[in-house]
Amino acid sequence: MVTKQFMGSSDEADLRRADSLAREIFSDVANKWALLIIEALGERTLRFSELRDEVEGISHKMLTQNLRMLERNGLAERKVHPTVPPRVEYTLTEPGQALRATVDLICGWTHQYFGHIEAARRGFDA
């Protein structure tokens, strides 16, 4: 994977530009699995299996990929405890917790407008 390097240019932080680092970051975190993982980790530190149970429907592969992406972007930390077998825990970093505040707003918006969206879909699909 080729990662763009931020050189301090406002162009690189512009989501509207196809070549911006900001767009790459946005693409990473703006997917349903990442948002659900961030929401789950916002409550407490969790082991992999606990996270898989919290995020119903996520496959082992998707959970692994999204945790690696969150870790790569500095939004989650992975801690390996030296036990046999190794115990691995995940927690949000300070930037991850800050992003969680936005995820909470999105969840609140979803709950607030759920009925409206459901009615609009019924009307559209009719």
Side-chain angles (χ1 to χ4, degrees):
M1 168 190 280
V2 175
T3 299
K4 297 163 187 67
Q5 297 295 315
F6 182 66
M7 303 304 239
S9 163
S10 61
D11 288 345
E12 293 180 51
D14 185 352
L15 282 174
R16 294 169 293 179
R17 290 181 50 101
D19 63 345
S20 76
L21 177 60
R23 188 180 282 193
E24 182 181 318
I25 295 165
F26 186 76
S27 177
D28 280 350
V29 299
N31 76 70
K32 71 178 177 181
W33 297 125
L35 295 175
L36 293 170
I37 292 166
I38 290 166
E39 183 65 18
L41 284 176
E43 299 295 322
R44 64 190 193 282
T45 298
L46 294 170
R47 296 178 70 178
F48 186 91
S49 59
E50 293 171 324
L51 257 173
R52 194 176 55 227
D53 292 342
E54 288 283 324
V55 183
E56 190 174 315
I58 194 167
S59 69
H60 186 280
K61 178 182 176 181
M62 288 308 298
L63 182 55
T64 299
Q65 286 177 350
N66 278 274
L67 284 169
R68 285 182 182 158
M69 175 274 300
L70 291 171
E71 200 177 352
R72 179 176 180 260
N73 284 305
L75 302 173
E77 288 180 330
R78 178 179 185 263
K79 183 174 183 180
V80 180
H81 297 274
T83 60
V84 178
R87 185 173 53 123
V88 181
E89 296 178 330
Y90 296 89
T91 190
L92 291 180
T93 61
E94 187 271 324
Q97 285 290 350
L99 180 57
R100 184 188 178 227
T102 301
V103 172
D104 286 346
L105 290 172
I106 293 169
C107 291
W109 174 87
T110 303
H111 288 163
Q112 181 177 352
Y113 291 104
F114 185 82
H116 171 83
I117 294 167
E118 189 177 41
R121 286 180 172 193
R122 278 194 307 270
F124 186 86
D125 293 341

